[in-house]
Amino acid sequence: MFSSSAEPPQKPLTPKAEATKARIRDAAMASFVERGYPDTTIRLIAKEAGVSVGNAYYYFPSKEHLVQELYEQVQHDHGASARPLLEDVAGLVDRLRIFFETGLETVGAYRRVAPGFLSAMVSPDSPINPLSAESSPARDLTVGLLRDTVSGASHRLPDDIADHLPEALFPAYLALILRWTYDESPEQAKTTRLLDTGLKLFAVALPFLRVPGVRGVTRDLLDQIADVRP
């Protein structure tokens, strides 16, 4: 009845329209948490938001648009949590720890429903895949936070390594979230151990990144890791 291929309205919204859109978004987020992604429908969201189905589709033509909204909100929350902590920390490894730990804390509210999202996003062609073109606004926020994390450190990496590192760390961050999603150990201790080991390995490697041979191979490796993006 309603096309899911239409684009959300681009013109500035009135305060009333903004409030309606926010109500639909909040109802969707509550349903995702309560029911999971597969069992949430636009019709159900519209009912709980107190709007018509047509009105819900006007602002969010599909569930995928709502998921992208969630992605962006999570990344804004991640930045708001991490940036104040980064202000007082200079060491690169310590700054990366702040990035990863605050990221896991931010997605913590969605852990119960994360497997449902993963089943929908795992396909490379899925518009809610974090590496998809559709996910680029949220992904750019995360990579931007990673750039600030790296560039604000006192340990000065070679410029070419520093330029490539944030893009390469994004897939590593996704892999950590995937491990965390299925980690049934108490307080996800296995994920914490994995993060600790990865950061220790990175700290050991840091002094060698200015060695010409190591530097070139490292840059090539970072390029290949980052190349998973479209």
Side-chain angles (χ1 to χ4, degrees):
M1 181 178 180
F2 300 98
S3 169
S4 63
S5 62
E7 290 299 320
Q10 298 298 316
K11 63 182 180 180
L13 299 177
T14 65
K16 181 179 179 181
E18 286 283 7
T20 300
K21 182 178 180 182
R23 198 160 70 248
I24 296 168
R25 180 181 60 243
D26 292 346
M29 302 312 154
S31 184
F32 288 150
V33 171
E34 179 183 351
R35 300 178 180 86
Y37 178 79
D39 295 327
T40 295
T41 65
I42 292 291
R43 185 172 296 277
L44 179 61
I45 292 167
K47 179 180 179 181
E48 298 195 347
V51 302
S52 69
V53 176
N55 210 9
Y57 272 113
Y58 175 75
Y59 292 105
F60 298 101
S62 70
K63 281 200 301 182
E64 287 80 7
H65 286 85
L66 281 157
V67 172
Q68 297 300 344
E69 189 96 359
L70 173 60
Y71 283 171
E72 292 187 46
Q73 183 59 56
V74 167
Q75 301 318 315
H76 282 299
D77 291 345
H78 184 186
S81 176
R83 292 185 191 281
L85 298 177
L86 290 170
E87 289 180 358
D88 299 322
V89 176
L92 177 56
V93 175
D94 292 334
R95 288 174 67 84
L96 288 174
R97 179 178 293 280
I98 288 172
F99 169 86
F100 286 114
E101 288 184 344
T102 55
L104 291 177
E105 289 170 3
T106 302
V107 299
Y110 306 97
R111 187 170 188 274
R112 184 171 64 86
V113 298
F117 278 103
L118 285 172
S119 65
M121 69 174 63
V122 67
S123 170
D125 298 327
S126 171
I128 65 169
N129 187 306
L131 298 172
S132 69
E134 291 86 347
S135 298
S136 60
R139 185 172 60 244
D140 290 346
L141 287 171
T142 308
V143 174
L145 180 57
L146 277 165
R147 289 199 181 282
D148 291 344
T149 300
V150 172
S151 65
S154 57
H155 190 294
R156 305 313 304 176
L157 295 169
D159 289 344
D160 53 348
I161 299 297
D163 287 344
H164 290 72
L165 186 59
E167 295 277 0
L169 284 174
F170 180 73
Y173 177 52
L174 295 182
L176 187 69
I177 291 177
L178 179 64
R179 179 67 185 95
W180 165 86
T181 299
Y182 293 107
D183 185 356
E184 298 300 332
S185 61
E187 298 182 350
Q188 292 72 58
K190 292 181 179 179
T191 303
T192 300
R193 182 182 176 190
L194 177 62
L195 176 60
D196 288 343
T197 302
L199 290 174
K200 287 176 183 176
L201 180 61
F202 184 76
V204 170
L206 273 178
F208 299 97
L209 294 181
R210 291 190 176 275
V211 177
V214 175
R215 176 177 174 179
V217 172
T218 301
R219 185 180 61 248
D220 290 343
L221 176 61
L222 295 178
D223 279 344
Q224 292 178 52
I225 295 173
D227 199 39
V228 299
R229 290 182 54 172

